[in-house]
Amino acid sequence: MAYIYMPWLFLIQILVLVGKSKAKVPAVIVFGDSSVDSGNNNQIQTIAKSNFVPYGRDFFGGRPTGRFSNGRIPPDFISEAFGLKPAIPAYLDPTYNISDFATGVCFASAGTGYDNATSDVLGVIPLWKEVEYYKDYQKKLKEYAGDEKAKEILSESLYLISVGTNDFLENYYTLPDRQSQFTIEQYQDFLIGLANNFIHTLHGLGARKISLTGVPPMGCLPLERTVNIFDHDCVEEYNNVALEFNGKLKSLVAKLNKELPGLKLVFANAYDIFLQIVKKPSTFGFDVVSVGCCGTGLFEMSYMCDPQSPFTCSDANKYVFWDAFHPSEKATQIISNHLIKNSLAKFL
């Protein structure tokens, strides 16, 4: 019972630290995929959307926003822990403007990857386009706050990058093109090269405080368990690939910190805490781990999360996963708190 209160206690402690800290993080700026997309896909033609019930039923006001969750996602919790707003708006959301984006903005797009071919699978926003939106944001910020203030905001902000899972699960292991070109080890190296270029680009545009999140134990996602027809357990091959790729990302972080002047780049390792939750769910207050809350929990996500489904669970807090691909808000908060304490604390 004591554990249930720990995230809130930790959050209070973090907020106290923020008040005492000399570190200045005026905004949280987000790039990536559905793990951090707060609704950009609502505004494009794609099936990778979640702006309908039951998504968002535990979000503020019980409304769907385009977040692939029953509630909030990592950038929201991180922003709040840094003393900023409790939810990061999507850049393409027409209900927000530059005054809202000045303290936090999300360019992420569900279904995207480092590889442009990954974004083509579901017709979503590729990373290069996310960067173009960021450049547009910079211009608007300068008009809004003035050149000097805008430059300060851009250089002192915390940049969150969370991407990579789709490159493996939606692209490499699903479609033939990349498999015909690369072994899995070669494809990892190809992605690392793209990640290197991406961070170089952000650095060139003024980003200095960056958190690079690795991929989760993707073999344990309910969808992967479902297609693992022999035992419905985690697909260890996918988990091993995730570990190998994360190791290469960590090495990239060390290299770039030496190469790029003024860069403070951290590797945010969500893999270990995520796997702990999956392997020992009851320790963290969960009852169900092998399936998601939405529908049968075996394969549903996006439009397959039918709002009329009689199978959707009544209490998502009992589930590690919300749909067959994404963690519940409660699991997300636990993972986010872990990353704040172990990876992002240097920016507080």
Side-chain angles (χ1 to χ4, degrees):
M1 191 68 181
Y3 183 83
I4 296 174
Y5 297 100
M6 283 304 293
W8 296 105
L9 178 58
F10 178 69
L11 182 57
I12 291 170
Q13 291 171 336
I14 286 294
L15 291 174
V16 169
L17 284 173
V18 170
K20 295 179 179 179
S21 175
K22 294 180 181 179
K24 188 175 183 182
V25 177
V28 172
I29 299 174
V30 185
F31 296 89
D33 56 23
S34 62
S35 61
V36 290
D37 181 4
S38 55
N40 285 305
N41 278 17
N42 299 355
Q43 310 303 323
I44 64 174
Q45 294 296 318
T46 178
I47 62 169
K49 293 187 179 184
S50 58
N51 56 337
F52 45 83
V53 294
Y55 285 99
R57 70 182 194 188
D58 298 311
F59 192 75
F60 302 118
R63 59 189 176 89
T65 61
R67 288 167 171 81
F68 280 77
S69 172
N70 57 302
R72 290 194 283 170
I73 55 177
D76 301 324
F77 289 114
I78 292 168
S79 174
E80 186 173 53
F82 274 75
L84 298 169
K85 54 198 174 190
I88 300 290
Y91 188 61
L92 299 185
D93 189 332
T95 63
Y96 296 96
N97 57 43
I98 190 61
S99 64
D100 303 298
F101 300 142
T103 55
V105 60
C106 172
F107 302 102
S109 176
T112 203
Y114 287 111
D115 186 353
N116 285 338
T118 301
S119 62
D120 291 341
V121 175
L122 295 175
V124 300
I125 303 168
L127 270 188
W128 68 263
K129 185 65 174 179
E130 291 186 25
V131 172
E132 290 304 306
Y133 286 133
Y134 173 61
K135 292 177 182 177
D136 182 58
Y137 163 73
Q138 288 190 329
K139 293 177 183 176
K140 291 178 179 177
L141 188 64
K142 289 175 182 177
E143 293 172 0
Y144 171 74
D147 286 354
E148 286 303 312
K149 183 63 176 177
K151 183 178 180 181
E152 179 185 331
I153 292 171
L154 295 170
S155 64
E156 295 295 332
S157 289
L158 173 61
Y159 292 76
L160 305 178
I161 303 171
S162 180
V163 67
T165 304
N166 296 317
D167 290 307
F168 296 105
L169 298 184
E170 302 297 324
N171 187 354
Y172 188 86
Y173 284 116
T174 302
L175 302 174
D177 286 358
R178 290 311 191 199
Q179 288 189 45
S180 69
Q181 296 174 289
F182 302 106
T183 65
I184 188 60
E185 291 81 10
Q186 291 170 336
Y187 189 60
Q188 289 176 41
D189 293 338
F190 172 66
L191 296 179
I192 292 296
L194 296 175
N196 175 78
N197 295 342
F198 180 60
I199 295 169
H200 268 270
T201 298
L202 290 184
H203 180 268
L205 291 169
R208 292 296 181 268
K209 301 175 180 179
I210 305 176
S211 168
L212 180 64
T213 303
V215 296
M218 53 193 183
C220 293
L221 304 182
L223 180 63
E224 306 313 320
R225 285 179 181 246
T226 298
V227 298
N228 186 14
I229 58 175
F230 296 108
D231 57 15
H232 295 293
D233 202 354
C234 296
V235 181
E236 290 306 320
E237 177 189 352
Y238 291 174
N239 283 357
N240 289 337
V241 167
L243 281 172
E244 291 169 4
F245 183 65
N246 286 345
K248 293 178 178 182
L249 282 177
K250 191 173 182 180
S251 296
L252 176 65
V253 166
K255 179 178 82 77
L256 291 177
N257 276 324
K258 293 178 181 178
E259 286 181 3
L260 299 178
L263 181 66
K264 295 179 180 178
L265 176 64
V266 299
F267 176 66
N269 179 19
Y271 184 99
D272 293 340
I273 183 64
F274 208 146
L275 190 64
Q276 288 177 36
I277 295 171
V278 167
K279 294 298 185 182
K280 297 182 178 180
S282 61
T283 304
F284 297 87
F286 297 105
D287 296 335
V288 184
V289 67
S290 60
V291 299
C293 168
C294 170
T296 64
L298 295 170
F299 59 87
E300 294 94 338
M301 57 182 171
S302 190
Y303 285 110
M304 288 186 288
C305 280
D306 185 344
Q308 306 303 321
S309 173
F311 301 109
T312 297
C313 78
S314 59
D315 184 1
N317 285 335
K318 296 179 180 179
Y319 285 66
V320 172
F321 293 94
W322 163 248
D323 62 16
F325 210 83
H326 304 96
S328 65
E329 180 185 51
K330 179 179 175 181
T332 295
Q333 185 177 19
I334 294 170
I335 294 167
S336 299
N337 286 345
H338 176 85
L339 294 181
I340 292 164
K341 180 180 179 182
N342 293 282
S343 302
L344 304 179
K346 70 178 296 180
F347 299 125
L348 286 167

